[in-house]
Amino acid sequence: MRNILVTGGAGFIGSNFVKYMLDSYPEYRIINVDLLTYAGNLENLKELSGNPNYIFIKADIRNRDMMDDVFATYNIEAVVNMAAESHVDRSIVEPEIFLTTNIIGTQVLLDVAKKYWKLNPDDKYCRDYKAGVKFLQVSTDEVYGALGERGLFVETMPLMPNSPYSASKAAADLIVRAYNETFGLPMNITRCSNNYGPYQFPEKLIPLMINNCLNDKELPIYGDGMQVRDWLHVADHCSAIDMVLHKGVDGEVYNIGGNNEKANIEIVKLIINALGKSESLIKYVKDRPGHDRRYAIDNRKITSQLGWEPIYTFEAGMQETIDWYLANLGWVENVVSGDYVKYYGEMYGE
Ligand code: NAD
Ligand code: DAU
């Protein structure tokens, strides 16, 4: 049995990843630590109730005592750190929680992992660790900043984050790197492009547009709608993290992306057509401050060195995602009640 701590496992990518791992590795035990913020939802994981290889703990990754307790109790051998404040628009309104969760939370986890994993607990400079341990930091392509019309993000580029969210993720990447350099803590960092798929909270572009279309609400497009993102189905992100967890070379950073560049307006029109709605729902609104124009991933390192490949085409993945939202209207209704109404009103002026 391998005991893997997944943080943020009740969120969008986290809940997909926890289920992916339990399906793929029946011999592993997954310990999911999640604070259940507005973005965390245990309904995403309800099919796991009664699974003896799955443990859920409601806790804050910034809480050192609780993280220490998790390591002491479950003999954690790997950490996949996904817990984060993840929405750029929220980081523009309220940056501080992005810094505490995304940076301090990561540093607390690194410290506790170092304490439990080093071979000589009395030696503060010990660089020898238990066999097979690893800290995997789930980061984002946004740490590289924005691209012009051409070019791709490669792992060796300098970090030039533009939003409080991406700056906090970049800071976390640097602290993870520093623990590897200074203390020899085994680690990898993954930097993935935009994900889509089931269980994504409808504050992000694709589920927000699906939900608004279904309710015949305006579709708010920031600026000219020509910003480009490189879309990847969440299941492909999960298989890439799995690959890096098992085969990633210590200390290395891996970009993850599926070569699927699309302008925002194209995506919105695709959703409108798939749901049989009218383009008159589109409303161009004030642009996001500091809005990154284009992201695009060079995925040659992970594909050539680790043999990872995405499975989904964008067309099939989008159709499946739209079908999932149509089949799970109850899930959407639950997550958009309460706080979401307030958020939406403040964000989009309704
Ligand atoms: P999400 O917002 O859906 O989920 C985040 C989860 O973290 C939630 O369950 C939340 O409750 C939990 N959390 C927040 N603060 C916490 C804390 N202090 N302690 C414990 N748990 C806490 O995010 P997501 O879209 O699933 O993203 C997951 C990770 O992947 C993030 O680190 C994000 O930066 C990264 N990422 C996301 C994308 C994307 O397109 N969504 C792409 C690349 C990387
Ligand atoms: O690139 C990876 C990142 O992708 C992750 O690290 C982030 O956690 C994730 O939120 C995502 O960031 P983006 O800012 O790219 O995603 P978002 O869905 O918020 O926006 C996608 C694009 O759509 C962006 O150009 C802004 C635009 N947009 C978004 C919303 C919510 C609109 O035009 N209107 C909207 O209402």
Side-chain angles (χ1 to χ4, degrees):
M1 170 81 75
R2 282 199 75 193
N3 294 307
I4 301 181
L5 170 61
V6 177
T7 69
F12 161 50
I13 301 171
S15 59
N16 279 283
F17 183 70
V18 166
K19 287 181 271 189
Y20 167 95
M21 289 298 282
L22 288 166
D23 283 347
S24 309
Y25 301 98
E27 70 280 21
Y28 286 7
R29 184 162 67 165
I30 304 293
I31 296 96
N32 174 12
V33 163
D34 195 298
L35 184 57
L36 299 181
T37 67
Y38 78 93
N41 184 355
L42 288 181
E43 212 185 323
N44 302 359
L45 298 154
K46 62 177 188 295
E47 69 225 56
L48 298 180
S49 91
N51 185 324
N53 288 341
Y54 172 66
I55 290 160
F56 175 73
I57 299 160
K58 181 173 190 276
D60 189 331
I61 58 167
R62 294 166 292 187
N63 185 326
R64 190 175 292 269
D65 291 341
M66 287 195 79
M67 293 309 107
D68 197 292
D69 198 44
V70 170
F71 272 74
T73 310
Y74 296 107
N75 184 28
I76 301 298
E77 294 155 279
V79 176
V80 178
N81 183 28
M82 300 195 182
E85 288 294 332
S86 70
H87 192 38
V88 173
D89 290 327
R90 288 183 191 254
S91 82
I92 294 166
V93 179
E94 223 176 314
E96 191 167 323
I97 191 169
F98 284 74
L99 273 59
T100 63
T101 293
N102 299 358
I103 307 171
I104 302 298
T106 300
Q107 190 261 334
V108 167
L109 289 167
L110 286 164
D111 261 356
V112 178
K114 177 162 74 67
K115 174 180 163 186
Y116 280 88
W117 290 348
K118 66 183 181 183
L119 287 179
N120 182 354
D122 299 327
D123 175 8
K124 66 179 174 186
Y125 298 121
C126 175
R127 293 177 66 91
D128 297 320
Y129 292 86
K130 292 180 185 167
V133 297
K134 179 179 282 188
F135 191 99
L136 195 158
Q137 175 70 3
V138 177
S139 185
T140 169
D141 61 354
E142 299 200 10
V143 296
Y144 298 116
L147 292 165
E149 303 242 311
R150 275 185 293 280
L152 301 170
F153 291 138
V154 289
E155 289 85 349
T156 48
M157 274 181 171
L159 306 188
M160 301 265 279
N162 291 317
S163 72
Y165 162 69
S166 53
S168 70
K169 294 294 289 185
D173 284 15
L174 295 181
I175 196 80
V176 172
R177 182 183 173 281
Y179 270 62
N180 182 256
E181 288 289 327
T182 303
F183 305 114
L185 188 80
M187 69 77 170
N188 287 122
I189 297 171
T190 58
R191 296 188 181 136
C192 190
S193 58
N194 286 61
N195 282 212
Y196 68 97
Y199 300 104
Q200 188 168 31
F201 193 81
E203 62 186 354
K204 307 281 166 66
L205 180 75
I206 289 177
L208 185 144
M209 296 299 168
I210 295 173
N211 186 39
N212 282 18
C213 260
L214 290 173
N215 291 291
D216 294 310
K217 283 178 72 172
E218 281 172 350
L219 308 175
I221 296 191
Y222 300 161
D224 63 2
M226 290 306 291
Q227 301 82 6
V228 170
R229 298 292 182 265
D230 186 352
W231 293 92
L232 185 75
H233 192 279
V234 65
D236 284 325
H237 189 187
C238 291
S239 69
I241 295 171
D242 173 13
M243 191 76 83
V244 174
L245 185 64
H246 289 96
K247 291 170 58 178
V249 175
D250 180 32
E252 292 294 316
V253 177
Y254 296 93
N255 283 351
I256 304 170
N259 306 317
N260 259 317
E261 287 184 57
K262 305 280 176 206
N264 295 337
I265 187 71
E266 275 182 78
I267 307 242
V268 174
K269 287 185 176 171
L270 182 158
I271 293 169
I272 290 172
N273 288 333
L275 291 172
K277 300 291 178 174
S278 158
E279 289 188 12
S280 62
L281 286 175
I282 290 175
K283 185 183 179 199
Y284 288 92
V285 299
K286 197 167 178 299
D287 208 352
R288 173 188 276 175
H291 198 171
D292 288 334
R293 191 68 180 168
R294 177 173 164 258
Y295 303 145
I297 284 274
D298 181 337
N299 69 7
R300 280 176 297 178
K301 183 170 175 182
I302 189 168
T303 53
S304 67
Q305 295 184 13
L306 302 188
W308 172 79
E309 275 192 25
I311 288 172
Y312 277 87
T313 63
F314 185 67
E315 292 65 31
M318 276 301 287
Q319 190 55 55
E320 197 187 284
T321 301
I322 292 169
D323 290 344
W324 185 88
Y325 280 90
L326 284 172
N328 289 278
L329 295 175
W331 181 90
V332 180
E333 268 168 41
N334 283 346
V335 301
V336 300
S337 59
D339 278 358
Y340 183 81
V341 177
K342 185 168 170 278
Y343 165 79
Y344 198 92
E346 283 169 5
M347 179 69 210
Y348 296 99
E350 277 181 23

